[in-house]
């Protein structure tokens, strides 16, 4: 996480960053197309739940607030034509409570959890320091995928979910037992598509 005059990333936040492994998907659209409330998005959700069911894990409820966080990052990746979890350009020294740098920041901005549920702020003579709370790692997880010059996103569910399951980091997120909800975002630009799935455990 960014911090104060020199807010530092803490070990707990470092653990929140999932593996960055390119997963091939298939897409073709133009400018910045969005895809929500459509069959192939629900298909991806169903396939993720099927993977969890096979392991005896709870089925994830679909959450529109997590979808908002996922969609925001999918659109950011499409605009920037890159597949990354961390939005380095938003890692400001001044906006540690409103930045979109990390998946958990985006979930906070979407309204899924509160900043104070996850972080505490310490004032020091040399500046402010952000600390992640002990359970910060429990609230949000994220997986992403990109498809370059491929077909329509409706063709992707049979390939994108197995691609995630064949990636150790993505598989771990999908099969994390304490997650209870998920939201899915996808956006397309210049014939390239970007997927983002955000998992969550609501604050009790």
């Amino acid at each position: 996480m960014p911090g104060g005059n020199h807010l530092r990333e803490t070990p707990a936040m470092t653990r929140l960053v999932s593996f960055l492994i390119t997963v091939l998907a298939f897409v073709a659209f133009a400018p910045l197309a969005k895809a929500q409330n459509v069959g192939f998005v629900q298909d991806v959700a169903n396939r993720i739940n099927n993977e969890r069911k096979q392991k005896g894990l709870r089925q994830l409820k679909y959450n529109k607030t997590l979808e908002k966080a996922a969609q925001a990052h999918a659109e950011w990746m499409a605009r920037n034509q890159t597949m990354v979890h961390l939005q380095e350009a938003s890692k400001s020294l001044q906006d540690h409570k409103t930045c979109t740098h990390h998946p958990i920041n985006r979930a906070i901005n979407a309204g899924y959890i509160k900043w104070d549920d996850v972080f505490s702020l310490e004032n020091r003579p040399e500046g402010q320091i952000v600390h992640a709370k002990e359970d910060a790692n429990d609230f949000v997880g994220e997986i992403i995928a990109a498809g370059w010059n491929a077909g329509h996103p409706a063709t992707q569910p049979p390939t994108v979910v197995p691609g995630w399951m064949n990636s150790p980091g993505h598989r771990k997120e999908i099969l994390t037992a304490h997650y209870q909800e998920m939201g899915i975002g996808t956006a397309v630009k210049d014939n390239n598509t970007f997927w983002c799935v955000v998992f969550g455990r609501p604050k009790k």
Side-chain angles (χ1 to χ4, degrees):
M1 284 300 305
N5 290 332
H6 286 294
L7 295 180
R8 299 191 295 264
E9 237 172 58
T10 66
M13 289 310 299
T14 300
R15 294 195 302 272
L16 281 165
V17 183
S18 3
F19 261 7
L20 302 180
I21 299 177
T22 301
V23 180
L24 291 180
F26 301 93
V27 140
F29 257 122
L32 185 58
K34 305 174 185 179
Q36 245 69 46
N37 297 319
V38 292
F40 60 83
V41 171
Q42 187 59 53
D43 191 2
V44 169
N46 290 342
R47 289 170 185 270
I48 288 173
N49 268 330
N50 187 55
E51 296 292 346
R52 290 178 63 89
K53 182 179 179 180
Q54 291 179 32
K55 298 297 182 182
L57 301 174
R58 78 167 80 210
Q59 301 292 279
L60 302 177
K61 296 178 181 179
Y62 198 84
N63 183 282
K64 298 294 287 186
T65 305
L66 288 177
E67 177 188 85
K68 182 180 176 181
Q71 184 63 27
H73 191 52
E75 292 178 21
W76 181 89
M77 290 190 293
R79 285 194 302 272
N80 290 277
Q81 293 291 284
T82 185
M83 193 193 82
V84 294
H85 289 282
L86 302 182
Q87 297 181 12
E88 289 297 334
S90 78
K91 194 174 183 180
S92 166
L93 298 179
Q94 303 301 325
D95 66 351
H96 50 271
K97 288 193 174 183
T98 59
C99 73
T100 54
H101 169 65
H102 192 278
I104 204 163
N105 295 114
R106 299 188 285 272
I108 290 169
N109 287 339
Y112 187 71
I113 50 177
K114 297 178 181 179
W115 193 91
D116 293 334
D117 291 336
V118 184
F119 303 108
S120 62
L121 192 62
E122 178 186 359
N123 291 307
R124 293 184 179 179
E126 67 273 19
Q128 294 177 315
I129 303 296
V130 169
H131 298 285
K133 295 183 178 179
E134 286 298 319
D135 60 350
N137 200 43
D138 294 340
F139 293 111
V140 172
E142 178 181 276
I143 57 175
I144 55 179
W148 312 97
N149 289 319
H152 191 281
T155 68
Q156 297 181 27
T159 56
V160 70
V161 176
W164 280 324
M165 291 303 292
N166 287 329
S167 157
H170 293 91
R171 179 186 179 90
K172 180 180 179 181
E173 290 296 315
I174 289 173
L175 299 181
T176 295
H178 69 254
Y179 291 148
Q180 299 176 25
E181 300 172 319
M182 68 174 155
I184 299 172
T186 183
V188 187
K189 182 180 180 183
D190 298 335
N191 294 328
N192 301 320
T193 197
F194 299 86
W195 288 86
C196 180
V197 182
V198 179
F199 303 102
R201 177 179 71 83
K203 177 72 175 179
K204 295 181 180 179

